[in-house]
Amino acid sequence: MGGLDGLRISPAVPSDLDALGRLFPELAGYYRDRARQAGILLVARVGRRPLGAAYVSTRPAVEPEIVRRLGPVPMLHKLMVDETVRGRRVGTRIVRAAEIVLRRQGRRRVAVGVDLGNAGAVRLYLRLGYREWAWGLLDTVREHADEAGKVIVVPDVCRVFVKNL
Ligand SMILES: CC(C)(COP(=O)(O)OP(=O)(O)OC[C@H]1O[C@@H](n2cnc3c(N)ncnc32)[C@H](O)[C@@H]1OP(=O)(O)O)[C@@H](O)C(=O)NCCC(=O)NCCS
């Protein structure tokens, strides 16, 4: 448990990456890799302590089905909150911050892929106004990046949720 007073959400700065890597070791390489890309890596922190993150991809999705159905829609990836503060709306605030950034960029829609069995994340997105698309499960890939940043890609399926901004 920790106080959430002064929680701020903003794009990652270089000093966030080591701290994020300590908080979510399995995603250290992923966030480091994405911080170099064109999208937005959002970090929630109190002071200098990160408590959560998400990557907002603004490039067309790698899944052809997403592009065919939704066009070059931005997507949320790897929303993560520190276990010790889950259930205290940090995740909600990160998603809302992502939506605000996208709206300011003139985006009208956002999508997210959710792993099968992640009922908690589904409830979160439904509560925030996301709705499951009508085209069933999406063939996708799951990416892991090791701490050296080497990305390992394995086939997977997920559910897709979309919100009009
Ligand atoms: C999903 C996750 C980001 C939510 O963050 P959070 O800060 O706890 O979310 P909030 O407090 O804003 O909202 C809580 C909602 O998340 C859901 N949730 C999922 N896992 C939870 C957990 N371990 N503790 C509390 N709530 C959880 C609850 O359904 C809750 O919905 P409700 O309030 O309608 O019941 C967080 O649980 C997490 O990091 N999970 C592991 C990674 C993950 O599954 N990411 C989603 C990828 S699509």
Side-chain angles (χ1 to χ4, degrees):
M1 267 313 210
L4 294 181
D5 290 349
L7 184 87
R8 293 274 177 278
I9 298 166
S10 57
V13 294
S15 60
D16 287 325
L17 294 173
D18 285 341
L20 269 185
R22 285 191 293 275
L23 188 58
F24 308 120
E26 70 287 7
L27 288 175
Y30 176 90
Y31 287 138
R32 199 170 284 283
D33 177 73
R34 291 309 189 272
R36 291 192 290 261
Q37 297 195 13
I40 309 140
L41 176 59
L42 285 177
V43 178
R45 19 178 149 55
V46 172
R48 296 176 64 174
R49 177 185 169 214
L51 291 173
Y55 179 66
V56 188
S57 161
T58 52
R59 291 227 176 107
V62 296
E63 298 88 352
E65 188 73 359
I66 292 273
V67 177
R68 196 156 70 90
R69 302 294 190 185
L70 302 177
V73 67
M75 294 196 68
L76 305 180
H77 294 279
K78 306 285 189 202
L79 171 66
M80 290 290 289
V81 169
D82 182 344
E83 267 181 293
T84 65
V85 297
R86 283 182 193 169
R88 295 171 65 192
R89 300 292 182 256
V90 177
T92 295
R93 290 173 65 178
I94 295 172
V95 173
R96 292 226 170 100
E99 293 171 356
I100 289 168
V101 170
L102 290 170
R103 234 179 263 127
R104 280 198 197 120
Q105 291 184 354
R107 302 294 194 137
R108 289 288 165 262
R109 233 169 10 180
V110 59
V112 60
V114 179
D115 289 345
L116 306 189
N118 194 345
V122 169
R123 274 206 308 281
L124 170 67
Y125 287 116
L126 288 176
R127 176 162 52 74
L128 293 177
Y130 289 69
R131 294 296 174 258
E132 189 161 11
W133 78 353
W135 296 289
L137 297 181
L138 176 73
D139 287 317
T140 183
V141 289
R142 179 191 299 273
E143 280 184 44
H144 304 281
D146 62 21
E147 287 187 19
K150 182 172 183 286
V151 177
I152 301 150
V153 180
V154 291
D156 200 3
V157 290
C158 68
R159 297 169 69 180
V160 178
F161 291 80
V162 182
K163 179 175 177 176
N164 291 327
L165 296 175

